[in-house]
Amino acid sequence: MPHMIFIESDGTRREVDAPLGLSVLEIAHKHGVDLEGACEGSLACATCHVVVDPDWAPKLAAPTEDEEDMLDLAFGLEKTSRLGCQIVMTDALDGLVVRLPRTA
């Protein structure tokens, strides 16, 4: 099974199983990672904002215009910011590293 690494806002690294077909948001919830996802993945908020490790960012599909619009609302936006609900685990993403942004 693929795995991924969450780097929590305090710097703690958590390597978790990442079932194929689940979003980063769903994987976070499955493993108790503190990633909100207030809209439950319906692309109506930015509370599942993650920062993708720069080595992994080019391996992801480009964000849609709707995702970019929601990201504009995110706190602490960075060049590799994405919404966790829009990144779906595939074999090619085995080992994906994302960081949870620091909260205000």
Side-chain angles (χ1 to χ4, degrees), residues 28-87:
H29 287 175
K30 178 178 174 64
H31 295 287
V33 175
D34 189 21
L35 187 58
E36 185 176 348
C39 73
E40 299 179 358
S42 65
L43 197 55
C45 73
T47 60
C48 66
H49 169 217
V50 296
V51 180
V52 177
D53 183 279
D55 291 338
W56 283 95
K59 299 175 184 179
L60 301 177
T64 64
E65 187 174 326
D66 288 341
E67 181 181 358
E68 288 179 345
D69 288 346
M70 287 294 105
L71 280 167
D72 287 340
L73 305 174
F75 175 80
L77 197 64
E78 296 186 26
K79 184 176 181 177
T80 60
S81 288
R82 295 295 300 268
L83 296 180
C85 67
Q86 298 301 297
I87 303 170

Side-chain angles (χ1 to χ4, degrees), residues 5-14 31-34 98-102:
I5 297 169
F6 288 95
I7 301 174
E8 298 189 51
S9 57
D10 67 359
T12 302
R13 291 175 62 92
R14 291 185 58 188
H31 295 287
V33 175
D34 189 21
V98 300
R99 179 173 46 85
L100 305 184
R102 296 191 190 275

